[in-house]
Amino acid sequence: MIRPADLSDAADIAAIYNEYIAGSTATFDTDPVSVTEMQGRIAEISAAFPYLVCETGGKVIAYCYAHGWKEKAAYRTTLESTVYVAPGLQKRGTGEALMRKLIEECRHRGFHSLIACITADNRPSIALHEKLGFRKVSGFKEVGMKFGRWLDVEDYQLLL
């Protein structure tokens, strides 16, 4: 079931995200996020933008959201998107279903463009975004350092 996120989802969302922090380069965060901090993030983002979860058996197994891409007013119709599926539950269509719903919601709210900032070696995320119609528009070399290595980032864009 896909539905809007609420603050009671913070523990499940933090648990998913913290696994990515500890074991992957999908996020450049390096320190675990507390449930309280995640509640603050959910409240801030969902107050203005779509924030969705996929729930099964009363547990959140994936989430996605969009938030402002840049702060200047001229960028107000462009958002950055994020999607995470619980480790071990990927490649079952959950991320795609969430992102399709997010794209639909962003269109419905009148946004014009979505940007996905993806670590260049995250082939599954790149493949998902390309499947959804996102196209690579930029790349940055060695902009992050995690696990003792430099990481490149690529931006993918979807015009809504």
Side-chain angles (χ1 to χ4, degrees), residues 12-122:
D12 287 344
I13 292 171
I16 292 168
Y17 191 57
N18 286 336
E19 287 192 54
Y20 281 93
I21 291 171
S24 83
T25 58
T27 174
F28 282 14
D29 275 332
T30 56
D31 296 319
V33 176
S34 71
V35 173
T36 302
E37 184 179 349
M38 189 57 74
Q39 286 174 327
R41 291 180 183 193
I42 293 167
E44 181 179 346
I45 293 167
S46 65
F49 306 106
Y51 200 129
L52 305 171
V53 297
C54 181
E55 177 184 65
T56 184
K59 183 169 180 62
V60 172
I61 61 164
Y63 67 98
C64 73
Y65 60 86
H67 62 87
W69 183 56
K70 300 274 187 180
E71 292 183 16
K72 296 195 174 22
Y75 293 118
R76 69 186 167 276
T77 61
T78 297
L79 303 179
E80 183 176 346
S81 62
T82 298
V83 60
Y84 286 97
V85 177
L89 299 177
Q90 303 98 328
K91 298 186 180 184
R92 297 179 183 185
T94 305
E96 180 181 347
L98 270 170
M99 283 297 296
R100 287 190 186 283
K101 184 71 174 168
L102 183 73
I103 291 165
E104 175 186 313
E105 182 64 25
C106 289
R107 278 189 181 119
H108 176 74
R109 293 188 188 196
F111 293 105
H112 179 70
S113 178
L114 282 176
I115 306 289
C117 182
I118 305 170
T119 309
D121 65 359
N122 189 344

Side-chain angles (χ1 to χ4, degrees), residues 119-135:
T119 309
D121 65 359
N122 189 344
R123 302 309 310 161
S125 186
I126 290 169
L128 169 64
H129 285 83
E130 287 178 338
K131 183 177 183 178
L132 293 168
F134 285 74
R135 296 294 169 246

